[in-house]
Amino acid sequence: MKLNIKELLDFLDDKKDSQMGDANAIIAVLGEDLNASAYKHFRGGKVEILNDSVLPGTNKGKRLDRWILDKTNNNLFQCEIKNWAATAIGGKSLKSDASIEETKKIVEYYWKRELNNNLSSKGEHPNGVTKVLLKMKLPDKHSKIKVQPLLIYWMPISSDIDGLHPLSVVSVKSLHLPMVTEFSKLYVFSVSLYLRQLYKNGKGQKLIDIDTPHFEHRIKILNKLGDK
């Protein structure tokens, strides 16, 4: 499915042409497909999004959103996807043609907000974000592969000092979280920053072609509901 990068950025990052509830409704249908597939696109299609559920291996416990297999590096990413857009509580608008300075300010705002909330050492853990650091039960076909935690956000966010790299890495130890985890690194990917990298303020790529199997399935259901 081909999506217009500028329209995505304007709609999700700038609240353009958006009425109350629009972004949440669109994200509910498209969000996880969009964000996971954007990471696959970022990796040049060299990773595979698995269909297996990401479960804790017990009857109770937190689950995650996607497994992403990196065959080249023999890694399996257990992914938590956060579709938070500018319309979310505390969200900040950022235009598709924003300057580097404007983008850095928003990126820094979101990263500090996460450090003071979801990634704060003073909070309760695991929460809806730090659950990505809980080791999930591996799919049977990949039971002997190295696992890494990956947080995929829509919003422009990065732990890097310059704040413009779509993919950044955080030392889990540096977060001082009051929870047990076997992971030493946390990978953080921003879909918004990646699309901005492609778009280049209108001078770069206009469209992105991504896989949206769940979205297309939901559209078929909606079409059936409208059939007479």
Side-chain angles (χ1 to χ4, degrees):
M1 180 179 185
K2 291 185 179 181
L3 296 174
N4 186 295
I5 294 176
K6 182 181 187 302
E7 292 299 326
L8 275 173
L9 292 172
D10 285 342
F11 182 70
L12 294 175
D13 275 350
D14 193 29
K15 309 179 186 180
K16 184 178 179 181
D17 298 327
S18 177
Q19 297 181 11
M20 185 176 294
D22 283 354
N24 288 340
I26 295 298
I27 286 172
V29 178
L30 177 62
E32 290 182 5
D33 271 358
L34 167 63
N35 292 333
S37 294
Y39 177 76
K40 180 179 179 180
H41 193 279
F42 169 74
R43 294 294 306 276
K46 295 180 180 179
V47 298
E48 179 185 354
I49 301 170
L50 305 182
N51 291 322
D52 302 74
S53 297
V54 193
L55 305 173
T58 58
N59 291 331
K60 294 183 179 180
K62 299 180 182 295
R63 60 178 62 194
L64 303 179
D65 296 312
R66 293 287 190 279
W67 288 113
I68 298 183
L69 177 63
D70 180 356
K71 293 181 179 179
T72 303
N73 298 301
N74 200 34
N75 278 333
L76 185 62
F77 290 100
Q78 54 174 55
C79 308
E80 177 62 18
I81 298 173
K82 295 303 181 188
N83 304 312
W84 299 328
T87 53
I89 295 174
K92 296 283 187 180
S93 291
L94 185 66
K95 296 183 180 299
S96 57
D97 60 352
S99 67
I100 292 176
E101 290 73 21
E102 290 171 327
T103 303
K104 284 184 177 180
K105 286 181 181 179
I106 298 300
V107 168
E108 183 179 0
Y109 163 79
Y110 279 125
W111 181 241
K112 285 184 176 179
R113 191 183 72 169
E114 285 298 272
L115 288 178
N116 291 327
N117 291 279
N118 291 310
L119 298 176
S120 171
S121 60
K122 298 178 181 179
E124 292 186 8
H125 299 278
N127 57 33
V129 170
T130 55
K131 65 180 181 177
V132 74
L133 296 173
L134 299 173
K135 182 73 174 290
M136 297 289 119
K137 183 179 183 294
L138 290 168
D140 292 337
K141 293 181 180 179
H142 307 286
S143 60
K144 296 182 180 180
I145 197 170
K146 184 178 180 181
V147 180
Q148 301 278 12
L150 171 62
L151 272 175
I152 300 179
Y153 291 97
W154 162 265
M155 62 191 185
I157 188 171
S158 174
S159 66
D160 283 347
I161 295 175
D162 69 12
L164 294 179
H165 294 298
L167 183 65
S168 55
V169 186
V170 185
S171 163
V172 174
K173 186 177 181 180
S174 71
L175 298 174
H176 304 290
L177 299 173
M179 62 178 287
V180 177
T181 177
E182 66 178 62
F183 299 115
S184 61
K185 296 178 181 179
L186 173 60
Y187 292 83
V188 179
F189 179 71
S190 165
V191 177
S192 175
L193 285 181
Y194 177 53
L195 294 186
R196 290 172 186 279
Q197 188 180 82
L198 296 177
Y199 184 60
K200 297 178 181 177
N201 285 5
K203 299 177 182 178
Q205 193 169 318
K206 302 296 189 294
L207 303 173
I208 182 170
D209 194 356
I210 60 174
D211 300 323
T212 55
H214 296 86
F215 173 73
E216 291 169 14
H217 172 69
R218 290 161 185 164
I219 291 299
K220 287 180 180 179
I221 293 175
L222 287 173
N223 288 335
K224 285 183 179 180
L225 293 176
D227 286 344
K228 295 182 179 180

